[in-house]
Amino acid sequence: TTPNSGLVSEETAKAKALTHAGLTASQVTFLRCKLDWDDGRQVYDVEFYTEDRKEYDYEIDAASGDILSWDYDAEYYTGQAAGQTGSYLSEAEVRQIVEDRAGVSGTFRELHLDRDDGRVVYEGEMRDGWTEYEFTLDAVTGTILEWDVDRH
């Protein structure tokens, strides 16, 4: 913690986000680590990206160091777009991918096919207790394009 403040340091917040993402400092470029207020508590907004243009955003409780929410985007993902071919994954396959990523079996409150930037995607929301998972997956490859987790 930082002297006399009772808050975890920026370095600790960054380290927690990196550990959670399964990355090391040498694998990422930090865009920001900023102390802020959210819902009446101090949090660190931590944002970084990898060389393959995956962007990670974390909100970390500044007092406890707990990860409150995180999100991951495959920026500039080039997968199949304009000439996207192949059959679409079934909803059951998408549910399995999401549950595997989340590490829990939840209740799907939304799951539908959509078109985004010329690509067919599955978008949806799954809940497990007080945790909400929002996601976008490539409908052909199953690649997770967006991932957002909020603990209420």
Side-chain angles (χ1 to χ4, degrees), residues 23-119:
L23 298 166
T24 64
S26 64
Q27 294 174 296
V28 305
T29 300
F30 278 96
L31 298 176
R32 107 183 128 166
C33 182
K34 178 181 146 197
L35 190 58
D36 202 357
W37 287 91
D38 186 41
D39 295 332
R41 65 179 159 201
Q42 285 190 286
V43 298
Y44 283 105
D45 287 324
V46 180
E47 185 176 331
F48 55 90
Y49 66 92
T50 60
E51 284 183 20
D52 58 354
R53 297 184 181 227
K54 292 177 184 165
E55 181 185 330
Y56 295 80
D57 295 296
Y58 281 82
E59 185 174 273
I60 297 176
D61 186 300
S64 67
D66 291 340
I67 295 171
L68 302 173
S69 67
W70 68 93
D71 138 331
Y72 152 82
D73 295 317
E75 297 291 319
Y76 312 110
Y77 173 73
T78 56
Q80 296 177 343
Q84 189 175 31
T85 59
S87 58
Y88 300 142
L89 296 171
S90 69
E91 285 193 9
E93 290 170 312
V94 171
R95 289 173 192 265
Q96 188 63 54
I97 290 167
V98 170
E99 289 176 343
D100 288 349
R101 171 68 185 264
V104 296
S105 294
T107 301
F108 284 81
R109 298 171 51 95
E110 185 179 331
L111 180 59
H112 62 272
L113 273 172
D114 199 359
R115 183 168 286 280
D116 186 25
D117 295 328
R119 173 183 293 111

